[in-house]
Amino acid sequence: MHEYTSSTRVWGLTCPGFPEEVSRARRWTRDILRGSPLAEDAELIVSELSANAILHTASGAESGSFHLALAVSPQAIALSVTDDGGTGNAPKVEDQDQDAEHGRGLGMVSVIAHRVVVHETDGGHTVTAELFAHPRPGGHPC
């Protein structure tokens, strides 16, 4: 293999912070991952992270946006959503009552994904969820 050739492919998409853009993000993810056994989980994760960006950060403001990045290799899929910030709180997994109407989305993502990482960015946050093609024994809770 050539030293500058990688088996990892990376895509990016920036969407305005409108609710209808969540379905666009899902379609985009589904199209890229067509045929992958991880496509449905990835689509659900992108949907939740995109909706969170719109609902809970400045990404949902009039001129807001959110950015998606999708990295695919034979070993893993990494999905990242970067928001515009505007809140004093970083996204976090919260233990919620099963009847709670809010606050359970990132918890759901952490159950589906093999790993979830939250990073602060310039003025916002990036939430990255990783799905492994061949998880180690005991590595995936579902």
Side-chain angles (χ1 to χ4, degrees), residues 27-129:
R27 278 191 312 274
W28 178 80
T29 302
R30 185 176 50 239
D31 289 346
I32 291 170
L33 297 176
R34 189 173 316 275
S36 169
L38 300 173
E40 288 182 9
D41 286 346
E43 185 179 349
L44 180 60
I45 289 169
V46 163
S47 179
E48 183 60 38
L49 296 181
S50 299
N52 283 352
I54 293 169
L55 292 172
H56 302 297
T57 75
S59 293
E62 186 174 320
S63 61
S65 64
F66 62 97
H67 182 77
L68 291 96
L70 177 57
V72 180
S73 76
Q75 298 81 24
I77 295 171
L79 309 147
S80 297
V81 175
T82 302
D83 64 46
D84 285 346
T87 64
N89 302 323
K92 65 181 180 230
V93 177
E94 296 182 31
D95 292 327
Q96 294 288 343
D97 180 274
Q98 71 180 33
D99 295 328
E101 293 183 24
H102 301 287
R104 295 179 11 192
L106 201 50
M108 176 188 65
V109 169
S110 71
V111 169
I112 296 169
H114 294 99
R115 183 166 61 174
V116 176
V117 180
V118 178
H119 294 284
E120 290 194 34
T121 60
D122 294 333
H125 302 93
T126 297
V127 180
T128 300

